[in-house]
């Protein structure tokens, strides 16, 4: 579809019921992960007596704010497994959900600007390949062929020395993904309750039996937390901590231009990542604001600093215009890998700490988390992501591959 | 732009500072006496409230001194700054929230 | 696409804020036209009888100029020049001689030629920032400046005056409006602490009154002359006065996007400010009183005007309707424009009566016209206020969202606050100016005269605003005779109609945020300035009372959650109002800003500092190629004539091991640690002991994180009992200093320790190789450089033959006999040259980081950041010897955790390719031979293949006469002798695992 056409969304997406008195599973957080989990519970585990609660508008958190990059080229085996499972699910999503979310597999380039960047890149490429993830090291000339608008000359401060390329990576329309999962879940009987904020948990000894909300008490057989940017607040209510810190993460778009940028480019070293969406806006992001912040906003100098990097690498962007900036809240663990699994509270589960990796993981997180909830034990994909890794020291350090400064 | 009042230099833009996360989390007196769970709490767990937060800052582009501040992590308003040798001024508890035995 | 519209407007003979002695030629889509200095591109087009601009993005409908300002959704152009710039609204583009533009259809075209212009950044601290120079802003600035405060007045237009520019004939403060503007301007410009910035739009408002603004300098910019084209202002203001005006809303009716449908206030602006008449036979369609001013000015300009007032008849002599009739205009009340005749341009308007519910109450009649001026009401410009989470509330009388509570240290005045009467704006602005000045500590001069009469209460002022605004009829969508909604444009830029909004609610969406995303309304250039409130208003029609329970709270301008009244049965009592729904979030920038303006001067060499050694010029002269290590430029290798890197490195390595070579080690981090407790401090920071290090000796130390991971290493010298000189890795210097300071200050303030970075103060030359002693002997004749006289890891202070004081250390990173000469940085080049001269007779060879890497790798010395990645412990590196078993140090506790004591950790070994000439790529992964299964390297394996390690460093060794590599391999030391496969690029190569150190295992070469 050309950039001068836009698709029609389905006539009907979801109902707006009042919450029932009880459900078998209450999912707290109606973003991509919460919705995908509800979908998986219904579809693959036959559990349909489910409510997804969102304190605001459905998928209005990070799902509405991310820069939509989808890839599976993370370093470690555990990461490759879950992100690659996710990528394969992205590839069948239109078929599975009956919704074209404009998943565009246009590849992702992670650029190298120093010798150590190159070593780290080759290490990651080779690990990717042996884990069945498509990846290759590309030279500066190949970078230029993949993305003609990149400046590979020596006249910039940190010239491009090559990069990694994952051909099957890409972008998708984040809101539509949420709606696709929401619609199917709703069809299968899941209640999507918006404007419903959890204000406390109802416990029976060490076991959670319900949630208190601004719309009344809802009893629950199980409670699953899937609220990026709010998990610590909820966990505090339940009497435990998760090893995350919440930071603002900003992103921005330009106005629409004729398509010039054919792929997704990320650079750790000069710190910027950018794609051009279907209808023509440039979509860009950089690093988190360093301080803890729940304000869904950050400081302007973070935006400003990434622009020099962007214009250096892409001189053609010089007179593209910043049209809109915004922020979300990312929850970051010390190893830049998520937490998914059981909690100290019986029948309560947590999925959090995805940092900047959440959007791409939506399909696989939904799959793994639904399994975890249904079976009260982790799926193989999230076995390594439990809280116990912080005790044993078996961290899964993905700072490099996360490609976003923390 | 947050303006952080360094107790030594006065108000400066946030760009002059380095963030240090939660305040009042002392290095354990005797690490060897801690279990692995307790050690993990010290290494990886910090409070993460949406609201009033006692945190550390270093005035890295100025006097290079560390100090503490109480800031609302939702509104970003700084209500107090105080030196490392001063008590938390707003009277709120220093100790991190106690945590149950971590699950699987 | 760019057909002339058939209408009869054009330039009026008199009037307008133009310099008719300065005609300006410009080109649009190849057609040459003329305007005057003072025109915008849009006003010049209107004056030339052209309302038609580009087509709409998706539906490709003809569009025309709608507005006269930043809210313009249709008239976008590409300015052509050395570097084209797209998506600029014609309504704010100042007309310049030679302007060459192309009309765009909603999508820009980026230019791949370089933009040679420069972009600057400015920083200012102001006592008071006044944003907007309409009557409220000018009154505020005047008062604020009068007491001597530093005031910056921002105006995005190239002229001061705001709405006064469209009201030149009214009286303001006993003067003509434009005289008032000129006199305030003169007063401000005469005040030493006042800056007036025109063409400068404040687009972002951040915590603590930090504002960001873009100044356009097309009037003075010169690429050749080094005058920047735009400047990005960073403003920290004690007080901010927002006097940013309001936007008029269009009305949503069938075909309301046809060229020739324009905002009524814009029509007035074109006539009054630019003497440009957009049409001669005008239908004026309004829901409120303000548009009658347009009717009046059109009539004065010779147009005929028929007023279609949606409101019922007001039988009062003072009503606007009666006033218009007395002036001879036809006024039809309780009526609406329900459709447009014409598609390339308006040729007629269909008008019908409407009832109290807004439904059609009769047949439509066609009124011939060439312009339809519309006014759907006014929307205060609350963007900057709301960017600061300023509260908003729906005001039903004003029919707009108004600021309801001020942001700290900010004042909102004028139309941006819902104050629509000019005199009231002056009062409100002046009051704010005085308030801001007083708060800033510079009371306004008028305050002394009692200029601050007791302000009325907010309620009283609100009532005054309501009176001034008169009655506004909320008319969110006018029914079409055929019942359709699909040409009722709500967001013309995004081609979104009322039908789209209806689809969104039909799909189940209740939040305005969802509607925005489902339709794309307000995501375009105007970011909802045109269509935002109309969308919200429309939603109040589409959503029933019951739907409101599902509307999520938290949007700006939303009524408090508990404000919804419920009936006895628990259902919301009333239809939703716009306050029930709220707005979408306002975000910076208020208007678009070019990426390159944000980049500023940080381009090319200025993107980041390039730190260089004092000997840099020598390296350059001698053909060094450089490697970026952090911000440093380090010599990488020194190729001679005809050499590639391999040849140069081979020669450099041989020199270092067989003769003598020298390397610039200036870039290493250096920190002086002083104090009575310095030894204890170091003892806690390093994994190995430092308490008993003798004065005059150095020791290699390793530093770990609290998690037990290696994060830096280096040699530390003991200069005195209480004084140490630490070196760190080049890239780790700042990190290590931060680390040391953090522990010293936050954990151990009782320790007497002072830390100073001295990286920049010293220059270091490493002289390396069996003949290095001879070179040092020449350079430092006072030193006993014999093996017995100068032991390993000792250092001496001496005066070199040149007279320069130096500290000479016997430290080696290659395993060869080596010395490091440290001198104050000033002497760096001189000493480097002296080393070269002294070593000439021995063929001394300069070498760079590549050779350094090879030499140390032959000895298996790890490089932090290459053999370590934040997950590697000293034990993993085979450095148990550096980890004290007795003392407490940072990281120690972590070593006893499960993941550190179990087998399977990756540990340092060397791997030797069976093919002695094969140099493995660094990063190659290692697998056990039978892990491959049937995978040949072609494509990808069908199931993951277990990896046991990876190559960290890989070189060709002159000393060994073959290739070799270092690697981290699971249980590495237990695999010595095993064969593994290195996997790279789809190929596999056999390698043998060996102990890490391959060369000079005993360390015999160290002493020469």
């Amino acid at each position: 579809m050309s950039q001068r056409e836009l698709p029609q969304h389905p006539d009907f997406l979801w109902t707006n019921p009042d919450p029932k008195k009880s459900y078998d599973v209450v999912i707290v957080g109606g973003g991509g992960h919460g919705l995908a989990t509800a979908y998986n519970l219904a579809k693959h585990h036959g559990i349909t007596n489910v409510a997804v609660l969102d304190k605001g508008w459905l998928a209005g958190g990070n799902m509405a704010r991310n820069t939509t990059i989808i890839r599976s080229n993370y370093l470690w085996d555990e990461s490759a497994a879950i992100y690659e499972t996710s990528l394969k699910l992205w590839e069948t999503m239109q078929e599975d959900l009956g919704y074209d979310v404009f998943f565009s597999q246009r590849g992702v380039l992670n650029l190298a600007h120093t010798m150590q960047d190159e070593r780290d890149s080759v290490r990651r490429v080779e690990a990717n390949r042996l884990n069945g993830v498509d990846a290759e090291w590309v030279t500066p000339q190949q970078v230029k062929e993949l993305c003609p608008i990149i400046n590979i000359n020596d006249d910039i401060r940190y010239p491009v020395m090559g990069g990694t390329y994952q051909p099957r990576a890409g972008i998708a329309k984040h809101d539509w993904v949420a709606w696709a999962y929401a619609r199917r879940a709703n069809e299968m009987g899941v209640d999507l309750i918006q404007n419903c904020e959890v204000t406390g948990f109802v416990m029976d000894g060490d076991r959670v039996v319900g949630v208190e909300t601004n719309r009344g008490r809802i009893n629950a057989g199980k409670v699953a937390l899937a609220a990026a940017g709010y998990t610590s607040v909820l966990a505090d209510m339940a009497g435990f901590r998760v090893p995350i810190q919440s930071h603002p993460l900003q992103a921005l778009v330009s106005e629409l231009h004729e398509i010039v940028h054919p792929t997704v480019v990320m650079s750790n070293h000069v710190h910027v990542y950018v794609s051009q969406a279907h209808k023509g806006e440039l979509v860009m992001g950089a690093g988190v604001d360093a301080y803890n912040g729940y304000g869904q906003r950050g400081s302007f100098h973070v935006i400003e600093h990434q622009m020099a990097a962007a214009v250096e690498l892409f001189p053609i962007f010089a007179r593209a215009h910043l049209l809109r900036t915004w922020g979300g809240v990312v929850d970051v663990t010390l190893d830049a890998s998520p937490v998914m699994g059981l909690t100290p509270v019986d029948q309560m589960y947590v999925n959090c700490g995805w940092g900047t990796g959440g959007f791409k993981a939506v399909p696989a997180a939904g799959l793994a988390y639904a399994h975890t909830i249904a079976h009260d034990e982790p799926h193989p994909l999230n076995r390594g992501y439990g809280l116990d890794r912080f005790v044993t020291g078996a961290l899964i350090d993905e700072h490099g591959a996360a490609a976003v400064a923390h | 732009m947050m303006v952080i009042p360094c107790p030594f230099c006065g108000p400066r833009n946030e760009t002059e500072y380095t963030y240090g996360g939660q305040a009042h989390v002392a290095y354990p007196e005797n690490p060897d006496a801690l279990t692995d769970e307790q050690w993990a709490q010290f290494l990886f767990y910090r409070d993460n409230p949406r609201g009033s937060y006692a945190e550390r800052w270093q005035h890295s582009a100025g006097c290079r001194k560390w100090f503490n501040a109480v800031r609302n992590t939702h509104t970003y308003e700084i209500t107090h700054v105080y030196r490392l040798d001063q008590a938390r001024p707003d009277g709120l508890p220093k100790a991190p929230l106690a945590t149950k035995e971590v699950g699987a | 696409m760019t057909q002339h519209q058939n209408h009869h407007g054009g330039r009026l003979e008199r009037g307008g804020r133009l310099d008719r002695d300065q005609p300006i030629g410009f080109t649009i889509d190849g057609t040459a036209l003329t305007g005057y200095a003072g025109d915008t591109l849009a006003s010049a087009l209107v004056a030339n009888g052209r309302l038609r601009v580009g087509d709409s993005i998706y539906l490709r409908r003809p569009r025309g100029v709608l507005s006269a300002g930043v809210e313009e959704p249709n008239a976008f152009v590409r300015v052509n020049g050395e570097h084209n710039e797209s998506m600029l609204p014609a309504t704010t583009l100042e007309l310049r001689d030679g302007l060459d533009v192309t009309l765009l259809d909603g999508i820009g075209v980026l230019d791949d030629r370089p933009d040679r212009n420069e972009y600057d950044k400015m920083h200012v601290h102001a006592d008071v920032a006044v944003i907007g120079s309409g009557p409220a802003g000018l009154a505020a600035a005047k008062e604020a400046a009068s007491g001597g405060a530093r005031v910056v007045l921002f105006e995005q237009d190239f002229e001061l005056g705001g709405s006064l520019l469209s009201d030149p004939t009214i009286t303001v403060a006993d003067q003509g409006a434009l005289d008032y503007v000129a006199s305030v301007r003169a007063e401000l410009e005469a005040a030493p602490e006042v800056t007036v910035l025109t063409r400068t739009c404040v687009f972002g408002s951040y915590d603590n009154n930090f504002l960001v603004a873009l100044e356009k300098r097309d009037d003075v910019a010169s690429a050749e002359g080094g005058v920047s084209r735009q400047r990005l202002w960073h403003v920290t203001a004690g007080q901010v006065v927002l006097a940013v005006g309001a936007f008029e809303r269009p009305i949503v009716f069938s075909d309301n996007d046809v060229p020739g449908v324009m905002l009524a206030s814009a029509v007035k602006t074109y006539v009054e400010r630019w003497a440009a008449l957009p049409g001669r036979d005008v239908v004026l369609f309004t829901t409120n009183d303000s548009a009658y001013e347009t009717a009046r000015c059109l009539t004065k300009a010779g147009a005929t005007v028929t007023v279609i007032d949606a409101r019922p008849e007001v039988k009062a002599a003072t009503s606007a309707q009666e006033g218009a009739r007395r002036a001879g205009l036809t006024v039809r009340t309780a009526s609406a424009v329900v459709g447009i005749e014409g598609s390339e341009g308006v040729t007629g308007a269909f008008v019908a009566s409407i009832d109290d519910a807004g439904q059609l109450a009769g047949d439509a009649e066609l009124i011939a016209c060439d312009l339809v001026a519309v006014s759907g009401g006014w929307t205060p410009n609350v963007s900057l206020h709301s960017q600061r989470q300023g509260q908003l509330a729906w005001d039903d009388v004003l029919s707009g969202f108004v600021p309801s509570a001020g942001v700290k240290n900010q004042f909102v005045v004028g139309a941006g606050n819902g104050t629509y009467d000019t005199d009231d704006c002056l009062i409100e602005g002046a009051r704010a100016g005085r308030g801001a000045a007083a708060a800033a500590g510079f009371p306004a001069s008028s305050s002394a005269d009692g200029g601050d009469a007791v302000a009325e209460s907010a309620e009283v002022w609100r009532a005054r605003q309501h009176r001034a605004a008169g009655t506004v009829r909320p008319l969110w969508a006018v029914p079409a005779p055929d019942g359709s909604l699909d040409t009722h444009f709500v967001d013309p830029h995004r081609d979104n109609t009322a039908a789209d909004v209806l689809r969104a609610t039909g799909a189940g969406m209740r939040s305005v945020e969802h509607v925005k995303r489902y339709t794309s309304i307000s995501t375009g250039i105007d970011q909802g300035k045109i269509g935002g409130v109309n969308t919200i208003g429309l939603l109040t029609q589409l959503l029933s009372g019951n739907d409101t329970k599902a509307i999520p709270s938290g949007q700006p301008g939303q009524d408090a959650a508990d404000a919804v009244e419920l009936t006895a049965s628990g259902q919301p009592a009333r239809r939703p109002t716009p306050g029930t729904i709220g707005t979408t979030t306002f975000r910076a920038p208020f208007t678009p800003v070019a990426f390159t303006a944000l980049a500023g001067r940080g381009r090319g060499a200025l993107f980041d500092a390039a730190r260089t050694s004092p000997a840099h010029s020598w390296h350059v002269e001698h053909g060094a190629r450089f490697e970026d290590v952090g911000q440093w430029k380090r010599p990488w290798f020194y190729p001679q004539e005809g050499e590639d890197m391999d040849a140069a490195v081979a020669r450099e390595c041989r020199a270092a091991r067989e003769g003598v070579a020298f390397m610039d080690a200036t870039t290493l981090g250096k920190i002086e640690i002083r104090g009575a407790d310095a030894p204890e401090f170091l003892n806690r920071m390093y994994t190995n002991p430092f308490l008993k290090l003798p004065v005059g000796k150095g020791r290699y130390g390793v530093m770990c994180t609290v998690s037990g991971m290696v994060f830096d290493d280096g040699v530390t010298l003991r200069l005195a009992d209480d004084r140490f000189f630490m070196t760190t890795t080049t890239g780790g210097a700042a990190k290590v200093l931060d680390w040391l300071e953090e522990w010293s200050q936050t954990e151990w303030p009782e320790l007497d320790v002072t830390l100073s970075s001295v990286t920049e103060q010293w220059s270091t030359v490493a002289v390396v190789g069996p003949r290095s002693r001879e070179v040092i002997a020449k350079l430092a004749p006072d030193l006993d450089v014999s093996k017995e006289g100068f032991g390993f890891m000792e250092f001496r202070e001496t005066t070199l033959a040149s007279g320069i004081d130096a500290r000479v250390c016997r430290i080696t990173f290659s395993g060869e006999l080596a010395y490091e000469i440290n001198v104050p940085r000033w002497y760096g080049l001189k000493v480097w040259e002296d080393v070269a001269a002294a070593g000439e007779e021995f063929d001394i060879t300069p070498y760079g980081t590549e050779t350094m890497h090879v030499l140390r790798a032959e000895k298996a010395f790890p490089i932090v950041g290459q053999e370590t990645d934040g997950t590697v412990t000293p034990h993993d590196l085979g450095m148990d010897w550096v980890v004290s078993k007795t003392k407490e140090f940072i990281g120690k506790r972590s070593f006893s955790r499960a993941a550190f004591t179990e087998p399977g950790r990756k540990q340092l070994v060397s791997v030797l390719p069976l093919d002695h000439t094969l140099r493995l790529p660094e990063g190659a992964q290692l697998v056990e031979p039978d892990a491959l299964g049937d995978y040949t390297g072609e494509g990808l394996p069908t199931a993951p293949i277990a990896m046991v390690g990876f190559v960290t460093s890989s070189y060709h060794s002159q000393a060994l006469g073959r290739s070799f590599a270092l690697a981290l391999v699971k249980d590495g030391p237990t695999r010595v002798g095993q064969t593994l496969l290195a996997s790279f690029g789809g190929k596999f190569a056999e390698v043998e695992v060996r102990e890490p150190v391959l060369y000079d295992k005993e360390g015999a070469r160290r002493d020469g």
Side-chain angles (χ1 to χ4, degrees), chain A residues 17-29 49-55 191-204 207-224 347-348:
Chain A
D18 288 328
K20 299 200 306 239
K21 283 277 179 301
S22 84
Y23 295 90
D24 290 340
V25 180
V26 166
I27 297 173
V28 182
N49 186 16
V50 175
V52 177
L53 310 181
D54 201 295
K55 67 175 166 67
D191 278 357
L192 307 174
I193 319 285
Q194 299 174 66
N195 196 27
C196 186
E197 176 173 4
V198 169
T199 54
F201 295 102
V202 188
M203 301 290 199
D204 179 5
R207 190 208 155 118
V208 66
V209 295
V211 295
E212 296 287 0
T213 78
N214 62 329
R215 295 178 71 170
R217 171 179 298 195
I218 303 171
N219 297 318
K222 293 167 180 273
V223 174
Q347 304 305 301
M348 181 180 285

Side-chain angles (χ1 to χ4, degrees), chain C residues 588-599:
Chain C
F590 169 65
T591 50
V593 181
F595 282 12
T596 192
L598 298 170

